[in-house]
Amino acid sequence: MTTDSSLLGSELELQQQEDLYQQLLLQTMGQMQTENPDSKVIRPQPGMCVKTISEPAKQKVFVNICQSNSVPPPPEISREDLVELLQSEDPSGYRVPMSLGEPHAEIDNNSQGCTAYDVVINQEFFQMCQKDPLFEQFVILVSLEGLENKYNLELSRDWKVLKNRKFLGSVGEQNIRTKSRPVIEELQPQGNSSAPAKRPDFTLLVEPPAGDPEYLIAEIQLPGVPSSRSLVLDVGEDRLVLTARPSLFHLDLFHPFLIDQENSVAQYNKSTEILTVTLPVVSS
């Protein structure tokens, strides 16, 4: 059996070209790293995908919250401290280090165009947030606020975490800082200038009023709350936790029903200053 030496030569040439390309790529990356020693390129791991819409255009937006140990963790904080922080006048005193990626165009499951953003946080902190709905809600909230501040957006707080998708699109590389910038020190509260958060007035309705309940509806009065952006709502299977910032209201309510968290809906009416939470009942 004979072999075609010209074919072997072509394959060898292609392999040499590929090796040369990889070598030049590594050299280029090394030069970039040398020229900018305060940053490095990382490829994060998928975490969770959050679906929301932009205001007022009502365009679909997906936020890929990713995880990487190359991003430093935030200071340790307990659940109790987080609740107290959300009630404070300036919750921005607690900062979550994150890398905010550029927007990229994607196609959703309905073959419609949409915009996606990648947010990278510390891997251990992300895994902790997965175990506690309040922390998960908090990290989604600060991710949305970070994107709004960086790209001058307005994103709806009526978001949805996709169950069967951790990432929309393909995971790309991000260039993150390895040297921290100077941070603003957190100022300690002076005296008792901030009043404790109040328990808001509310009513609970069951629909239908007779027979097996299908919905539990909570109507919560929030006078002085300017918009839904000031609200953090955590819906559990038998519990509803609402915090209105800064230090206005806090409601921690248990109820005798098992709730379908995935299909629960909340809407805040700025005119009446009433938050209506509709909770589908699974069983009582």
Side-chain angles (χ1 to χ4, degrees):
M1 180 177 178
T2 60
T3 58
D4 190 335
S5 60
S6 63
L7 289 176
L8 290 175
S10 298
E11 291 177 359
L12 181 60
E13 213 171 288
L14 287 172
Q15 183 61 45
Q16 289 174 339
Q17 290 177 358
E18 177 66 22
D19 292 344
L20 179 60
Y21 170 76
Q22 293 293 337
Q23 184 178 355
L24 289 173
L25 181 62
L26 290 173
Q27 288 177 355
T28 302
M29 294 297 291
Q31 288 173 1
M32 289 173 61
Q33 191 74 27
T34 304
E35 291 170 1
N36 190 5
D38 293 347
S39 66
K40 69 175 180 179
V41 177
I42 65 166
R43 184 179 292 275
Q45 298 297 315
M48 63 178 168
C49 185
V50 179
K51 177 183 176 182
T52 185
I53 58 173
S54 63
E55 301 286 2
K58 304 296 183 184
Q59 298 292 325
K60 278 188 285 189
V61 173
F62 292 84
V63 180
N64 299 314
I65 300 181
C66 310
Q67 48 185 323
S68 172
N69 278 331
S70 296
V71 177
E76 289 188 14
I77 185 171
S78 66
R79 196 179 202 279
E80 293 73 19
D81 290 340
L82 180 59
V83 171
E84 184 178 342
L85 173 78
L86 293 173
Q87 297 173 9
S88 68
E89 292 187 358
D90 184 20
S92 62
Y94 179 80
R95 296 185 178 274
V96 178
M98 58 179 57
S99 175
L100 304 171
E102 298 289 331
H104 48 98
E106 299 293 345
I107 303 295
D108 65 9
N109 286 339
N110 298 321
S111 300
Q112 299 294 318
C114 59
T115 303
Y117 295 86
D118 304 339
V119 177
V120 188
I121 63 173
N122 177 263
Q123 187 169 32
E124 292 181 6
F125 181 67
F126 173 82
Q127 293 172 359
M128 184 190 74
C129 292
Q130 292 279 279
K131 299 174 184 177
D132 190 318
L134 181 62
F135 274 89
E136 182 179 270
Q137 297 275 333
F138 173 69
V139 81
I140 293 173
L141 181 64
V142 296
S143 297
L144 296 181
E145 289 179 348
L147 291 171
E148 287 177 330
N149 292 333
K150 182 172 182 179
Y151 295 110
N152 194 26
L153 303 171
E154 184 175 349
L155 300 174
S156 170
R157 294 307 189 261
D158 186 15
W159 66 67
K160 179 181 180 181
V161 179
L162 303 186
K163 275 190 171 181
N164 300 318
R165 183 187 287 270
K166 295 184 176 180
F167 197 94
L168 182 68
S170 57
V171 181
E173 294 178 338
Q174 283 205 32
N175 191 38
I176 67 168
R177 293 181 61 86
T178 56
K179 189 174 182 181
S180 300
R181 293 174 177 169
V183 297
I184 301 173
E185 290 185 0
E186 179 182 355
L187 297 178
Q188 298 299 322
Q190 297 179 355
N192 296 321
S193 57
S194 59
K198 297 182 296 183
R199 180 181 172 92
D201 294 329
F202 65 92
T203 57
L204 291 177
L205 306 172
V206 176
E207 290 290 342
D212 294 332
E214 296 181 10
Y215 295 95
L216 176 66
I217 301 173
E219 294 183 347
I220 308 169
Q221 300 178 29
L222 301 170
V225 173
S227 73
S228 60
R229 297 179 63 178
S230 303
L231 303 176
V232 177
L233 179 65
D234 179 14
V235 176
E237 290 184 343
D238 61 350
R239 184 182 184 188
L240 184 149
V241 180
L242 172 69
T243 300
R245 305 183 301 175
S247 191
L248 288 176
F249 299 102
H250 180 68
L251 177 64
D252 192 345
L253 176 67
F254 286 90
H255 50 76
F257 299 97
L258 187 62
I259 295 301
D260 180 1
Q261 301 164 263
E262 181 70 20
N263 294 308
S264 298
V265 177
Q267 185 173 18
Y268 183 63
N269 188 321
K270 290 190 290 186
S271 300
T272 61
E273 298 182 323
I274 293 177
L275 175 69
T276 303
V277 187
T278 305
L279 309 166
V281 175
V282 177
S283 64
S284 58

